[in-house]
Amino acid sequence: MHLKKLAVRNFRRLRNVVIDLASDISIFVGANNSGKTSVGHALQLFTGSGRFNIHDFSAELWADIVAFGEGDGEASLPTMEIDVWFEIGPDDVHRVIDLLPSLAWEGKLVGMRVAYVNRPGFQGGRLV
């Protein structure tokens, strides 16, 4: 089993990025401030290591956040998402059994989406 593909949306400079990874080794190459480090940070945060903050949202979305905070009835809070796709071999099916649509599944790719979203009625992790 190996990580085959990542799709990151609205995380820092990564507005909508899809990254295909090789089965043996992948190297991120790019100019400074192009998002290489952000990919690693997104993986860390979306897998539960660390805490999100307002600056993790793409700067393009801050106007939406401000409008929502000011009570604009048309505004909604944005989300951040990461899609993770694994290529699964026959010996690895037991590792992803909870993600499969059925036990008759015969595919090779298994994916999941993890999203950071607003929960209506909650503020700062508390019910209000």
Side-chain angles (χ1 to χ4, degrees):
M1 175 171 81
H2 78 275
L3 185 58
K4 179 75 173 170
K5 182 184 292 196
L6 296 171
V8 182
R9 282 174 293 289
N10 297 333
F11 185 81
R12 299 183 185 167
R13 295 173 96 36
L14 308 174
R15 179 77 166 145
N16 190 8
V17 175
V18 176
I19 303 163
D20 291 307
L21 301 166
S23 60
D24 53 353
I25 189 170
S26 293
I27 300 171
F28 290 7
V29 178
N32 287 344
N33 217 15
S34 63
K36 300 179 302 292
T37 302
S38 291
V39 172
H41 286 169
L43 278 170
Q44 284 179 314
L45 291 174
F46 280 105
T47 56
S49 177
R51 294 180 57 105
F52 288 96
N53 70 58
I54 191 71
H55 301 291
D56 291 327
F57 280 99
S58 173
E60 295 174 19
L61 301 173
W62 291 356
D64 296 337
I65 295 169
V66 169
F68 182 86
E70 291 175 345
D72 182 345
E74 299 292 317
S76 62
L77 287 175
T79 64
M80 286 184 276
E81 300 172 344
I82 189 167
D83 294 344
V84 182
W85 290 91
F86 297 98
E87 189 167 43
I88 306 300
D91 295 335
D92 297 314
V93 172
H94 69 283
R95 297 177 190 273
V96 295
I97 198 79
D98 292 334
L99 300 175
L100 301 180
S102 77
L103 294 178
W105 178 82
E106 294 183 14
K108 291 196 180 273
L109 289 178
V110 174
M112 66 179 174
R113 174 171 292 160
V114 181
Y116 183 80
V117 299
N118 176 47
R119 288 179 54 185
F122 281 79
Q123 182 177 11
R126 298 185 317 260
L127 183 60
V128 292

